[in-house]
Amino acid sequence: MNIKIFESFSDKETFDIAFKIATGLKERTDATVVCLDGDLGVGKTVFAKGFGAGLGIKKDIVSPTFNIVKSYEGEKRLHHFDVYRITDISELDEIGFEEFLYDDAIVLIEWSKLIEEALPENIIKIVISKNLEKGFDYRKITVEGMKDEDFRD
Ligand SMILES: Nc1ncnc2c1ncn2[C@@H]1O[C@H](COP(=O)(O)OP(=O)(O)O)[C@@H](O)[C@H]1O
Ligand SMILES: [Mg+2]
């Protein structure tokens, strides 16, 4: 399994890392599911903002916590989920979760670990974590499941 690790020391760096990852993924023609996990306040939404910008989305990506999903048009369509408030997996059926997975778009899911049983097999997993020994603003960003050709300079 292809695992890449990035280190960030500021919001801006996390934004830029996410931007770069999105730049590589937008060339894909198949539906792509990107899972984004990590504790509250670790920077998932900061990452989502950079990710959206990298897809050529002009609007600011805001947290969709209360409506679970928000969709954006860019060079590539983005469906941004935040499933933090889901208490039962059946709530996903109500919003037609499966349909989003078959769209020619990128699906980015904050808190994907809460809906693990509903996720497809082929996903890109991104985990953000802190390490206070390396500073308050330090974040480790682990990316699993991207192909080498998905990373562009
Ligand atoms: N290296 C970093 N990367 C991302 N966010 C950072 C970083 N350092 C500090 N922060 C701060 O951490 C917070 C992350 O918030 P947010 O993205 O909403 O987290 P989450 O969506 O994971 O709950 C923001 O206040 C941001 O300014
Ligand atoms: Mg968030």
Side-chain angles (χ1 to χ4, degrees):
M1 187 43 90
N2 190 340
I3 297 184
K4 280 218 157 49
I5 294 175
F6 298 88
E7 291 185 297
S8 162
F9 295 88
S10 67
D11 302 40
K12 165 109 176 35
E13 272 186 74
T14 296
F15 185 101
D16 290 346
I17 290 163
F19 188 102
K20 189 169 186 296
I21 289 172
T23 304
L25 290 178
K26 76 182 172 199
E27 308 297 333
R28 284 192 173 189
T29 52
D30 50 341
T32 302
V33 178
V34 180
C35 295
L36 185 55
D37 288 278
D39 295 339
L40 201 63
V42 83
K44 296 183 294 301
T45 297
V46 171
F47 186 99
K49 286 178 191 294
F51 193 85
L55 295 180
I57 293 162
K58 301 288 179 239
K59 279 192 184 163
D60 185 29
I61 309 288
V62 294
S63 182
T65 302
F66 292 97
N67 26 2
I68 300 173
V69 61
K70 257 177 116 95
S71 299
Y72 301 85
E73 296 293 335
E75 287 162 56
K76 184 95 183 168
R77 187 179 306 124
L78 172 70
H79 301 302
H80 179 211
F81 285 81
D82 183 335
V83 298
Y84 186 63
R85 283 179 197 274
I86 283 191
T87 50
D88 191 294
I89 208 90
S90 68
E91 287 171 47
L92 287 178
D93 297 335
E94 287 163 33
I95 58 168
F97 181 69
E98 290 262 311
E99 304 289 307
F100 288 97
L101 300 182
Y102 299 114
D103 191 13
D104 170 29
I106 296 192
V107 176
L108 179 69
I109 311 172
E110 291 189 44
W111 288 104
S112 79
K113 68 171 187 183
L114 299 178
I115 59 158
E116 226 158 28
E117 57 266 55
L119 297 173
E121 209 166 294
N122 210 344
I123 56 178
I124 293 166
K125 283 183 153 197
I126 299 179
V127 178
I128 309 177
S129 58
K130 294 188 185 181
N131 180 347
L132 290 176
E133 280 173 22
K134 297 197 177 185
F136 193 65
D137 291 343
Y138 173 86
R139 304 290 190 269
K140 182 169 99 173
I141 302 171
T142 306
V143 181
E144 190 180 322
M146 271 177 75
K147 304 182 195 105
D148 281 333
E149 63 263 31
D150 287 334
F151 289 100
R152 272 150 226 270
D153 293 315

